[in-house]
Structures are given as structure tokens and as C-alpha cells.
Amino acid sequence: MTASPTTPAGAAAGRPPGILISALRRRGQERFSGTLRLDGNPGGTVTMRDGLIVAAATPAAPGPESLLLRSGRIAETEWSRAFAAAAPEGRLPDELVERGLLGEVGVEVLARTAVVDALFAMALTGVHTCTVESTDAGGPGPLVPVEPGLETDRLLREITRRLEVADGWRVLDLTVRSRPWVVRDEPDQIVDGARREVLGRVNGRRTPRDIAFTLGRGLFPVMSDLAILLQDGFISLTEASAPPPAPPAHPVTPRPRPVQLDASELPRRYRNGNAPTA
């Protein structure tokens, strides 16, 4: 299959799959249960049950906790109480519903959003190796898993679609490690609410990942908004030129240069203060 005329270069559907996609496809076919530990930059983990993906986590993208707290959907005190009461027993999603903090649909959407965004972030930043741990390895399970799980093939199609979109960002030189600058400060009504929030976090130091964590939004939608802001000329990926120095508050009066005298013109000092007689 070849790329369509509107598909960015390198985004053909037939390109070789990465290590992450190959590993997930293989484990899905094997109906694997356990955890895949993915070494990358920064890598992450994927939890599977009978070939279905139930959770994914990476430092490159916000997880369920950041998506809820940073977005302001749940207060930190409420999350802490629910976490302490239910997380050790693995029933945090039920506790969130029982406390009225989220509905059942809200929990499902949250879990799915975190999984898809984490897999996209890992595929985008790159995975070098994959280590398999069976369910016998023990350890705590995911905080907010997808129940009963996501089909691997359907999930991989969505990840591939997002990677093809990301190829267009690379044409713009927009990467996960970019540090965009604001170059246009326009009235609020010119930029819609979501992109206005993203624009408000652009300061020349934050990366797309930093902005995603700050806002409690997924990496993919944040980078999509940054790409639109970049194309519309609101931000730049090159450092903004420094403004000229401000003039001094008060004019500075130049100091007079010292008068240079010849040695013969200097007054002479005499012993006992008396000048010699002629």
C-alpha cells in the first residue's frame, strides 16, 4: 500500500513496524498475560490479560492520576482519600465511583485515554528492547485498568494513525523535546479554549510533554494543538530574539576627564615649609 497524496512523507501504512508495535501484536496473538517492560527514551510498561491490553504507563505522557488532578477534575485531597482507602486492594476505580468523584463511564474513558496516549508516546519516542514478566512476578497492578481490556489489533491501528499524524509534526520540526516560544500575543477570541490553554503554557522552556503534564491532558492532543499554533504563526520553534535594552530612567551626565598636568607645573614641597632663597 502506498501513501495517499495527502499523507506526509514517511507515513505510508506499509512502513516497518517498531519494536513496540511488533511486541504488542505478537503478545496479543499469544493471548499473553503479564507485563511488558519496554526500554526506551524513556520507555514504560504495558499490562496485558489474555492478549488484551488493560494498562500502559510511561514518564513521557500523563497517567490517570495526572489527567485527573492537573486538569482539576478531582481535588488532590479527594484523590488521596480514595487512594488510601482502595488502592492497596486494587479497587480504586470502584472507590472513585462510590465517592461520586467519577461515573462508571468516566472511569472507562479515563483508563482508555491513558492507555492510548501512553502507547503513542512510547512509540513516538522509541523503544529499544522489550522484557516479558509473567503474572507470577507479583507486584501491584495498574491503578485504573481498562476492563475487560482493549483488543490489540484495534489499538495498534489507532497508534499507527497517530504516528502518521505525527510525521507531519516532524515536517514542522515539532518533536517531543521541542521548546516552543510565543511569537504572537493575540486577543483570546482568536484562539479557542483548549489551544488558548496550551498557548498560555508556552514559554520557551516547556516541552510538549511538560505542557501535557501541566494541563492534565494527553500528549497527543497537546502536540496536535501545538502543531496548529505553529502553522498559524502563534508560536515558533526557534528562540525569540531578545528585546533591545531599555533606556536608563534618568539621563547620565558624563563625568569630566581628569586634567593631565606636566610635572614642572606641580607645586613643590620643601623641607620645614621654607622655599630656598635665591
Side-chain angles (χ1 to χ4, degrees), residues 180-276:
W181 291 79
V182 174
V183 294
R184 283 177 58 191
D185 186 11
E186 300 288 350
D188 288 347
Q189 61 268 22
I190 295 181
V191 181
D192 67 21
R195 281 196 287 274
R196 185 164 64 247
E197 286 186 338
V198 172
L199 183 62
R201 301 308 192 279
V202 172
N203 60 4
R205 296 184 300 275
R206 294 190 181 103
T207 64
R209 173 205 177 271
D210 297 334
I211 296 173
F213 272 90
T214 300
L215 293 175
R217 293 183 60 198
L219 179 66
F220 179 77
V222 165
M223 292 191 72
S224 297
D225 285 343
L226 286 171
I228 294 174
L229 290 170
L230 181 60
Q231 290 178 316
D232 290 347
F234 286 95
I235 62 176
S236 172
L237 297 180
T238 57
E239 183 172 347
S241 58
H250 303 286
V252 178
T253 303
R255 300 176 61 181
R257 298 179 60 184
V259 178
Q260 300 294 329
L261 298 177
D262 186 83
S264 61
E265 299 175 345
L266 294 176
R268 299 178 63 185
R269 298 180 63 186
Y270 302 96
R271 183 174 297 176
N272 300 324
N274 298 322

